[in-house]
Amino acid sequence: NAGVTQTPKFQVLKTGQSMTLQCAQDMNHEYMSWYRQDPGMGLRLIHYSVGAGITDQGEVPNGYNVSRSTTEDFPLRLLSAAPSQTSVYFCASSRGTGTSYGYTFGSGTRLTVV
Amino acid sequence: KQEVTQIPAALSVPEGENLVLNCSFTDSAIYNLQWFRQDPGKGLTSLLLIQSSQREQTSGRLNASLDKSSGRSTLYIAASQPGDSATYLCAVPISSGSARQLTFGSGTQLTVLP
């Protein structure tokens, strides 16, 4: 089982550039989400989706867009990259929104904005 | 607001020792608690998911306990090995509408010395 796959693993962007971080899961999970991990800040929720066609904002959504056209894929778009978006980004999925389910995380994308 | 605390922040032990990592949370009304490990520069690997109705979960040399009333969970690692060196994170989900956000502790960085 591949689980949650994130690409690319590393990326360097210039300020103002846009890009899409890819996330795909092969577990037929309904719930998918994006976190960023920063030193001293822990992991913070950016956006989440409870199913195809349904997305919503998390704790730190500004500067990011998401869409969910299929159950498997949940890409994260940076509209105009800023140095403050330098971080490690993790995609996570869960079987559903029920309270008994745990999370599976991808291996992360390390993004540097210069 | 749910707050999750992990102590100690760092721990160094010789190989073969049994050890306990601690996780405490302020709001005892949790659905479950999940323990992860994170290797340097890597993603989060789920170790154990313990439901609110459970007292313990075991996987190999790992045993997680949960005491909701006191707001505590412990991760017991038996016969530690250098390969156990990593940062260990505990997380509890909080719900607001359809959102399920994991609240993480700041982690315990474990070093097992050969």
Side-chain angles (χ1 to χ4, degrees):
Chain A
N1 286 341
V4 178
T5 303
Q6 291 185 238
T7 57
K9 294 191 183 301
F10 302 94
Q11 184 71 47
V12 178
L13 286 180
K14 294 183 178 179
T15 298
Q17 287 185 319
S18 63
M19 78 160 293
T20 299
L21 280 64
Q22 301 292 343
C23 175
Q25 52 89 10
D26 62 356
M27 298 171 286
N28 202 31
H29 282 179
E30 289 185 3
Y31 189 89
M32 297 186 74
S33 52
W34 279 100
Y35 287 81
R36 58 177 290 174
Q37 185 178 34
D38 302 289
M41 303 291 289
L43 285 98
R44 293 178 291 171
L45 181 66
I46 304 171
H47 284 286
Y48 67 94
S49 169
V50 299
I54 305 170
T55 64
D56 208 340
Q57 298 179 350
E59 182 182 357
V60 287
N62 291 342
Y64 309 95
N65 272 358
V66 292
S67 61
R68 183 103 179 263
S69 57
T70 67
T71 299
E72 295 78 19
D73 300 301
F74 190 44
L76 178 72
R77 297 184 188 85
L78 279 69
L79 309 173
S80 177
S84 61
Q85 293 178 305
T86 294
S87 186
V88 182
Y89 292 85
F90 290 103
C91 180
S93 73
S94 179
R95 186 174 172 185
T97 55
T99 56
S100 63
Y101 302 125
Y103 284 73
T104 301
F105 278 77
S107 58
T109 294
R110 291 185 171 273
L111 176 68
T112 302
V113 182
V114 298
Chain B
K1 180 184 176 185
Q2 177 75 273
E3 294 183 359
V4 180
T5 304
Q6 291 185 248
I7 53 171
L11 182 63
S12 183
V13 300
E15 182 176 5
E17 273 203 7
N18 302 325
L19 59 100
V20 174
L21 307 181
N22 296 293
C23 172
S24 61
F25 43 93
T26 54
D27 185 350
S28 62
I30 62 170
Y31 305 114
N32 57 57
L33 185 144
Q34 196 165 359
W35 282 93
F36 296 89
R37 72 173 276 169
Q38 185 174 26
D39 295 280
K42 304 294 185 182
L44 280 71
T45 301
S46 179
L47 297 173
L48 288 164
L49 172 68
I50 184 165
Q51 302 296 338
S52 62
S53 59
Q54 297 176 315
R55 298 283 298 198
E56 286 188 359
Q57 274 284 0
T58 298
S59 176
R61 295 182 293 108
L62 305 180
N63 177 278
S65 68
L66 177 64
D67 184 344
K68 282 180 56 180
S69 61
S70 66
R72 293 184 58 192
S73 177
T74 62
L75 180 66
Y76 175 83
I77 302 176
S80 59
Q81 304 170 357
D84 295 330
S85 297
T87 296
Y88 290 80
L89 297 159
C90 64
V92 295
I94 57 173
S95 293
S96 176
S98 61
R100 281 178 67 225
Q101 176 171 346
L102 281 177
T103 299
F104 285 85
S106 52
T108 294
Q109 186 174 357
L110 174 65
T111 302
V112 181
L113 303 170

